[in-house]
């Protein structure tokens, strides 16, 4: 990543200049682009997303923050239709918190259909207490508890056109945590910015 891109990472993290940063990153990626230069693009986008989730982890005292993306994963027999799957591509954890990234690779979306369907039409899923039977968990309770979670928050990552391309996950493993409305809205804004950056990368030819 060149120095001008590094200088913009701070602005990206604040959530204030998100749209401008997305446009600038797209412009810089086009300037740098050479035939077959997929590695440079992937690294630059990865650096931005990792910086963003590290910022979220520290600002909101989250034990584990991760980003998943949807992708094709093989084909059905005999129709040849693509199988929709998702994988965790980015993750950051606090000391003493286990990683889940390797456990969530090439997962068929139908396994988590309840939560994914909810995020299709909503910005987030809030599970402040996985032990509270009155809180809807959208089929996530047991897998979240197996991952050591006490509270879980999922945010839809969508493009400016509203296309659902992934999920931002916040896992609290040390103690139950209730996020207030201002914090939820702040993180929704972070997820929106990620959608712009990731879609810019996906559209690179």
């Amino acid at each position: 990543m060149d120095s001008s891109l590094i200088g913009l990472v701070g602005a990206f993290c604040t959530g204030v200049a998100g749209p401008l940063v997305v446009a600038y990153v797209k412009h810089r990626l086009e300037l740098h682009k050479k035939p077959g230069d997929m590695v440079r693009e992937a690294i630059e986008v990865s650096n931005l997303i990792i910086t963003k989730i590290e910022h979220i982890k520290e600002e909101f005292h989250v034990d584990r923050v991760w980003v998943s993306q949807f992708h094709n994963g093989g084909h059905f027999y005999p129709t040849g239709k693509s199988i929709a799957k998702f994988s965790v591509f980015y993750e950051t954890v606090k000391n003493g918190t286990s990683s889940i990234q390797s456990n969530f690779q090439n997962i068929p979306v139908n396994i988590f259909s309840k939560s994914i369907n909810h995020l299709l039409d909503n910005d987030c899923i809030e599970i402040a207490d996985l032990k509270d039977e009155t809180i809807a968990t959208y089929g996530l309770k047991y897998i979240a508890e197996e991952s050591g979670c006490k509270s879980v928050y999922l945010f839809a990552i969508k493009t400016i056109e509203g296309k659902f391309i992934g999920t931002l996950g916040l896992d609290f493993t040390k103690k139950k945590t209730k996020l207030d409305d201002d914090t939820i809205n702040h993180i929704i804004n972070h997820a929106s910015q990620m959608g712009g950056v990731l879609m810019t990368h996906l559209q690179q030819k």
Side-chain angles (χ1 to χ4, degrees):
M1 185 184 296
D2 62 32
S3 58
S4 57
L5 277 174
I6 294 173
L8 281 171
V9 167
F12 179 74
C13 289
T14 64
V16 175
L20 293 176
V21 173
V22 168
Y24 186 79
V25 168
K26 183 175 182 179
H27 173 66
R28 295 301 295 177
L29 288 174
E30 288 297 331
L31 287 179
H32 285 301
K33 191 173 177 64
K34 299 175 182 178
D37 200 13
M38 296 175 62
V39 174
R40 179 193 296 272
E41 294 166 7
I43 291 174
E44 290 179 344
V45 169
S46 178
N47 285 341
L48 284 172
I49 298 299
I50 291 296
T51 298
K52 171 68 79 176
I53 63 176
E54 288 278 2
H55 173 77
I56 291 171
K57 181 184 70 175
E58 297 304 320
E59 180 177 3
F60 303 111
H61 310 290
V62 189
D63 299 305
R64 181 169 54 226
V65 185
W66 50 268
V67 170
S68 68
Q69 290 178 259
F70 299 114
H71 57 85
N72 292 331
H75 300 84
F76 286 104
Y77 177 83
T79 63
K81 185 177 181 180
S82 294
I83 302 172
K85 295 186 177 183
F86 72 88
S87 296
V88 172
F89 282 83
Y90 309 97
E91 180 191 49
T92 180
V93 299
K94 281 188 175 180
N95 290 337
T97 301
S98 62
S99 169
I100 63 169
Q101 185 169 7
S102 63
N103 296 331
F104 289 90
Q105 298 296 313
N106 296 305
I107 307 297
V109 298
N110 64 288
I111 294 178
F112 293 94
S113 58
K114 288 184 179 179
S115 58
I116 291 173
N117 280 332
H118 183 81
L119 290 173
L120 275 169
D121 299 318
N122 300 273
D123 291 321
C124 65
I125 290 175
E126 304 175 44
I127 310 174
D129 182 0
L130 282 160
K131 298 292 187 183
D132 188 340
E133 299 293 338
T134 67
I135 298 176
T137 58
Y138 303 96
L140 298 171
K141 178 179 175 62
Y142 298 109
I143 190 67
E145 288 182 337
E146 285 181 3
S147 301
C149 298
K150 298 183 183 300
S151 303
V152 173
Y153 294 83
L154 302 182
F155 298 84
I157 297 177
K158 298 179 180 179
T159 67
I160 193 171
E161 295 84 10
K163 184 177 181 181
F164 185 23
I165 61 172
T167 303
L168 167 65
L170 279 65
D171 297 342
F172 294 88
T173 64
K174 303 293 192 304
K175 63 179 181 179
K176 294 180 293 186
T177 302
K178 173 67 175 176
L179 300 180
D180 60 31
D181 290 343
D182 286 344
T183 299
I184 293 293
N185 290 331
H186 193 156
I187 299 172
I188 287 172
N189 186 42
H190 282 309
S192 177
Q193 293 171 25
M194 289 184 192
V197 172
L198 291 172
M199 196 60 191
T200 295
H201 175 56
L202 292 174
Q203 290 175 334
Q204 298 298 314
K205 303 297 184 182

